[in-house]
Amino acid sequence: MATAIRLRAVRMVAPQGFGYLGQALSSAEQFAALYSSVLRVGVDRIVVSPAHYVIAAYAAAAEMGVLDDEALATYGKDGSSLEAIGTERTPLLDYTCGSLGQGLSAAVGFALSDRLKGRPEPRTFAFVSDGELEEGQVWEAAMFAGHQRLSRVTVLLDANNSQVDGAVDTITTIEPIADKWRDFGWDATDIDGHDVDVIIEALGCGADATRPQVIVCRTSTVHGLDCLPPDADGHFIKLPPELADLALAELTEKLGRHAGA
Amino acid sequence: MLAHEEPPYRTVLKPYGRALVDLARGRDDIVCLSGDLTRQCEVDLFQEELPDRFVHAGMAEANMMGLAGALARSGHIPFVHTFGVFATRRSLDQVINAIAYPELPVRIVGFMPGISSPGGPSHQAIDDVSLMRSVPGMTVIDVADAVQTRQVVRAVVDLPGPVYMRLKRGEIPVIFPDDHQLSLEHAQLLTDGDDVALFASGMMLAAALAAERLLRGEGVSVSVVNVPVVKPLDTATVAAVAGRCRSVITAENHSVIGGLGSAVAETMAEAGVGHPLRRIGLQDTFAEGAMTVPYLFEKYGLSTQHVVDAAWTSLGQTGPPPRAAAAAETSDGYSPV
């Protein structure tokens, strides 16, 4: 499914020749794991804090058959509700924010609502990026959730070490990430974010947790697409027609191999 | 009246970034802060050429404004860079308490004004002028072209108190000749007419000039006034030009609430100018994400045709208004980041 998400993402950005492909490459396994294992549509909530990542959520939703190909083809175009940066019009997600660093507060708020309403069952999954950890609001939300022991919140933290100005660790030292969250009262694991099985296992552990959980997923914005040039800008990848053709061929071939395996 | 070029306007890249470096080379007190949008705010030039005075503040705007306030208290002149939405909405309390209330000379530069960003409501600064205009002591600037952009850096550096400037990103049109003199005190009368007073700021100046040409062809004379400084507003010019025309139009790439349109309305009311006023801008609505900017300008009422229609109906003209050509696709492409 992760390869299928990448293929769909390439198809979505190819008509424009550039876009948020790196976000999909970085997060494909996380969305694949979430959508194919634990997420119960209609019960659980999903928050995609960095709204530039909605491309991966759309692709995963299409793979699950809850978003049709026709709608997907309008991604990013004039008049489409599938905007390149998610908004209040974005379908299938409970909350998304293009102004970064605000999503965790929403996820924690949803979990708080469930507690206030006496609903122990729903889980809230929040997708957060490592660059967002530079925003203070993330830590305000983390401290609140830890204090309140809002154990129905699980954060998938995409640690791809990429932000607009370059590698996150050249701008701000955010490590040790997992220890910071632990200090704020969270269960934290630190895993290979391109290993679907490991992510699924970590997501499963959260089901009966007593504290909120963060899964630190170590990833790369160019993972799983070998034809990209080494200097590709992970935040906003350029995909001219020849490169798009190469990418489509590579991913189609990989998908075929998975299907045949 | 001031001279201006004829369309299609040629465009240039990074006039702001170049001007800031040129000024800072002779001014050791200037420091440059960037909130994870360095290339997008044209200060990659500063980072390359004056790295000792360049600060990566990261994606942490509230902290960046707090730092800037303390830097200014310590004798630096901080130029702070991010997109307009994050500079104003996100860190408003810090801008007010750390910068404006102590009257510190921080220059806040917000790129990608209004719906020049196709990135949706989170990236579209449709209220930045309104927010900053309401802050006591804040100078608010919305320049129209590359020539004014180059000049505004030097013009504001020694201005007392804080300044907010909103700047278009990417390809910047050249509307004024090289010998143009930007004034922070005086709005600029560009065409002289008695029928309509048309006040325009920022990206809407090109549409205002295009509308003036179309209306002139139909015998309607228009005074186009460029208003690069929305606060403090040149109330004398606004009241004089509005007072001698039959109707008044404002055009801004911003909500009609709290920006240029409101400032002109306040000025007219206080001066006792009782002419009809039409405000071109976002009509108290959020916009949306899209692929192209002309689509958004058309959908949200900021096209040349919208300016023409407003002027036409404000005069009670009968018959159809002149038709503007559809806006050409810019070469900027989608790049909200």
Side-chain angles (χ1 to χ4, degrees), chain A residues 78 83 100 134-135 163 165, chain B residues 36 38 59 61 90 289 292:
Chain A
D78 288 345
E83 291 154 285
L100 300 180
E134 293 173 1
E135 294 284 5
Q163 64 183 99
D165 273 352
Chain B
D36 194 33
T38 299
M59 201 193 301
E61 297 74 16
R90 185 158 197 130
T292 61

Side-chain angles (χ1 to χ4, degrees), chain A residues 128-244:
Chain A
V128 177
S129 71
D130 55 356
E132 287 187 290
L133 301 186
E134 293 173 1
E135 294 284 5
Q137 186 179 349
V138 174
W139 300 104
E140 295 173 22
M143 203 181 298
F144 180 89
H147 178 76
Q148 298 284 344
R149 291 192 166 252
L150 288 166
S151 59
R152 302 307 283 168
V153 175
T154 298
V155 169
L156 281 164
L157 182 70
D158 188 35
N160 59 20
N161 197 30
S162 167
Q163 64 183 99
V164 173
D165 273 352
V168 174
D169 59 13
T170 66
I171 309 294
T172 304
T173 298
I174 59 171
E175 302 287 355
I177 301 174
D179 283 347
K180 284 192 171 70
W181 290 81
R182 287 188 192 108
D183 286 348
F184 279 56
W186 289 57
D187 289 338
T189 51
D190 200 326
I191 62 170
D192 174 0
H194 292 304
D195 188 327
V196 175
D197 295 333
V198 174
I199 302 169
I200 289 174
E201 193 191 337
L203 285 168
C205 289
D208 48 9
T210 57
R211 308 200 300 174
Q213 315 88 50
V214 58
I215 304 168
V216 182
C217 297
R218 301 291 173 173
T219 61
S220 156
T221 56
V222 293
H223 187 88
L225 192 55
D226 302 335
C227 64
L228 287 178
D231 60 343
D233 171 8
H235 183 81
F236 200 67
I237 286 179
K238 289 193 175 65
L239 202 68
E242 311 81 54
L243 188 57

Side-chain angles (χ1 to χ4, degrees), chain A residues 51-77:
Chain A
H52 309 63
Y53 280 81
V54 289
I55 183 171
Y58 294 149
E63 280 304 300
M64 299 299 289
V66 290
L67 190 64
D68 62 41
D69 289 356
E70 222 167 278
L72 206 63
T74 69
Y75 168 79
K77 298 196 171 135

Side-chain angles (χ1 to χ4, degrees), chain B residues 282-303:
Chain B
L282 286 114
Q283 302 294 318
D284 196 21
T285 182
F286 289 104
E288 66 190 60
M291 174 58 60
T292 61
V293 169
Y295 169 82
L296 293 174
F297 271 63
E298 178 62 39
K299 179 164 182 180
Y300 289 93
L302 275 69
S303 70

